[in-house]
Amino acid sequence: MRIDVVSIFPEYLAALDLSLIGKARQDGLLDLNVHDLRDFTTDRHRTVDDTPYGGGAGMVMKAEPWAQALASVAEAGNSGGDGGTRPVLIVPSPAGAVFTQTMAYELAEEKHLVFACGRYEGIDERVLEWSGERFDVRPVSLGDYVLNGGEVAVLAMVEAIGRLVPGVVGNPESLVEESHSDGLLEYPVYTKPSSWRDRNVPDILLSGNHGKIAQWRREQQLQRTAVRRPDLLEKFDVSQLTKADKAALAAMGYDVMKDRIQLRG
Ligand code: JEH
């Protein structure tokens, strides 16, 4: 997979040289390229921003440097020149659709992703319209809170997507287990020693009974999700529930209906 990131703070993306994603780059699984937007300006001051039409606080990123940068990376990724699928342009924005694991799975299948990191009050809207000719454009938000720019969102998204590219995560079994648990929170984990400051690891995990352990972990997932993220439980696909799951939910005060899970009373 080829990934291009355009930013006025390319050093911000240096963290992608580390850890799993850095290893995947060394192994040739991810071809990650970071570009400085200012390299695509033509004026002496390398200007990337200007005042907003209609007034208001702050500055807006100018269209032309973005058009130059995006045309350049679209070209770079089209070395085959086969006119095949368009690259996906991901534009982090507080006004985007919230980035989800489902999006990460879908984007991990793409050949070429381009990330456009805005700053200030964002990028001139015409850049997104114009980009539609070359890219499949996706305005995406990391979540409902305000950041100062797109870079932190890109670090998170590249990590979430990159780890799903075949070969990037060393143990693909962990990805399979993860996908089976999608939509539920994780179960709690423990390591040695089995007794630490008067706190013991749950006996079941020391029992060696793998069937019982799997059942306990699943119950923990359901319980945690019910308490911490009831919104997830109410959206959960009922057809994924086993008989034991339904019994555990009933014991927690949930009614399992034909198409959804609902808190009783
Ligand atoms: C932020 C790209 C480019 C700051 C404020 C405003 C909110 C009401 N999850 C995310 N949060 N923020 C970003 C993001 C992602 N992905 C993000 C960015 C850029 C992504 C520039 N900024 C800074 C920025 C305007 N306010 C947005 N409004 C709903 C709380 C008030 C106005 C725009 C851009």
Side-chain angles (χ1 to χ4, degrees):
M1 173 187 279
R2 179 179 172 119
I3 299 178
D4 289 279
V5 183
V6 182
S7 165
I8 59 167
F9 296 123
E11 326 84 81
Y12 224 117
L13 287 305
L16 294 174
D17 292 337
L18 307 172
S19 188
L20 206 77
I21 300 299
K23 177 75 172 23
R25 291 177 74 182
Q26 283 174 15
D27 295 349
L29 295 166
L30 291 181
D31 175 15
L32 178 62
N33 310 274
V34 180
H35 311 270
D36 187 342
L37 180 68
R38 290 192 200 275
D39 291 347
F40 299 90
T41 59
T42 52
D43 66 311
R44 279 174 34 82
H45 298 104
R46 314 229 291 166
T47 311
V48 293
D49 63 326
D50 206 336
T51 53
Y53 277 117
M59 299 293 270
V60 171
M61 294 190 106
K62 293 170 69 61
E64 189 56 23
W66 275 110
Q68 295 296 335
L70 295 174
S72 158
V73 299
E75 191 63 37
N78 186 29
S79 56
D82 60 359
T85 57
R86 294 185 310 169
V88 177
L89 176 63
I90 300 160
V91 186
S93 162
V98 175
F99 182 73
T100 62
Q101 187 65 21
T102 302
M103 287 184 201
Y105 283 124
E106 286 165 7
L107 293 169
E109 307 272 310
E110 297 287 340
K111 262 176 48 188
H112 188 193
L113 303 180
V114 177
F115 291 88
C117 298
R119 280 269 152 179
Y120 316 110
E121 298 302 304
I123 304 170
D124 188 313
E125 189 65 22
R126 293 169 292 182
V127 173
L128 281 82
E129 297 168 17
W130 170 89
S131 297
E133 288 178 23
R134 288 165 219 260
F135 295 95
D136 179 356
V137 182
R138 314 266 183 92
V140 172
S141 166
L142 196 59
D144 292 335
Y145 37 81
V146 181
L147 303 172
N148 276 334
E151 286 80 5
V152 164
V154 168
L155 288 175
M157 291 188 271
V158 169
E159 184 154 315
I161 296 163
R163 66 190 289 282
L164 300 176
V165 170
V168 172
V169 163
N171 179 6
E173 261 179 57
S174 57
L175 291 183
V176 173
E177 183 181 334
E178 199 173 271
S179 75
H180 284 308
S181 303
D182 260 6
L184 294 179
L185 301 185
E186 298 310 307
Y187 52 74
V189 295
Y190 303 86
T191 187
K192 290 177 277 298
S194 65
S195 184
W196 174 78
R197 301 193 181 194
D198 289 331
R199 290 161 199 278
N200 297 330
V201 171
D203 283 335
I204 185 82
L205 297 179
L206 311 176
S207 71
N209 185 334
H210 298 295
K212 282 262 189 265
I213 290 171
Q215 196 187 318
W216 180 85
R217 285 177 167 169
R218 181 77 171 182
E219 273 171 35
Q220 291 292 311
Q221 288 191 279
L222 290 164
Q223 216 168 95
R224 272 191 166 182
T225 308
V227 171
R228 298 180 186 177
R229 294 293 305 277
D231 60 309
L232 289 184
L233 209 49
E234 272 149 42
K235 282 191 302 197
F236 197 73
D237 178 11
V238 171
S239 71
Q240 283 196 63
L241 294 173
T242 64
K243 263 220 167 78
D245 288 342
K246 290 177 188 171
L249 285 167
M252 288 182 267
Y254 281 83
D255 284 327
V256 180
M257 333 257 273
K258 238 196 347 272
D259 61 338
R260 69 203 178 88
I261 303 164
Q262 188 183 258
L263 192 56
R264 198 180 303 134

